[in-house]
Amino acid sequence: MNEIHEQIIQAAVEEYGRENQMRMLQEECGELIVATSHYLRKREYAEDEVVEELADVLIMCEQIKFALGITRMVAVMIDRKLGRLASKL
């Protein structure tokens, strides 16, 4: 993530607060679930919907990592889980 993105993430958390952003993450995850369902049912424009909702979820995840101060911990966990996945492939 570039510096401008990080500034926007920080400003959003400061403006709306951690709890509100966690609620938004829940909402965005729900919208992604609906979008993936539409994609699997081959609904028109569903791929665009998945792209948009996935972007929203990823942005909210970045905000929550920042808000909770867990960016490094998440990175370590991702490395660990990808290592496990690699060993299964």
Side-chain angles (χ1 to χ4, degrees), residues 9-23:
I9 296 294
Q10 182 176 352
V13 172
E14 289 171 359
E15 176 73 20
Y16 301 114
R18 181 185 346 186
E19 190 172 312
N20 285 334
Q21 295 313 81
M22 289 186 130
R23 284 192 184 101

Side-chain angles (χ1 to χ4, degrees), residues 35-53:
T36 55
S37 177
H38 291 168
Y39 181 85
L40 292 171
R41 290 188 323 210
K42 300 180 183 346
R43 186 170 168 179
E44 189 175 7
Y45 306 113
E47 186 174 293
D48 294 338
E49 188 180 355
V50 170
V51 168
E52 181 175 350
E53 298 307 334

Side-chain angles (χ1 to χ4, degrees), residues 13-82:
V13 172
E14 289 171 359
E15 176 73 20
Y16 301 114
R18 181 185 346 186
E19 190 172 312
N20 285 334
Q21 295 313 81
M22 289 186 130
R23 284 192 184 101
M24 284 302 300
L25 175 59
Q26 290 174 318
E27 184 178 316
E28 296 299 348
C29 286
E31 291 173 5
L32 180 58
I33 290 167
V34 171
T36 55
S37 177
H38 291 168
Y39 181 85
L40 292 171
R41 290 188 323 210
K42 300 180 183 346
R43 186 170 168 179
E44 189 175 7
Y45 306 113
E47 186 174 293
D48 294 338
E49 188 180 355
V50 170
V51 168
E52 181 175 350
E53 298 307 334
L54 189 55
D56 288 343
V57 167
L58 291 170
I59 289 167
M60 293 311 302
C61 286
E62 290 297 326
Q63 289 184 48
I64 299 309
K65 288 186 332 187
F66 170 79
L68 299 179
I70 58 172
T71 300
R72 178 71 185 130
M73 291 170 59
V74 171
V76 168
M77 185 60 68
I78 288 170
D79 286 345
R80 186 177 304 151
K81 289 184 175 277
L82 286 174

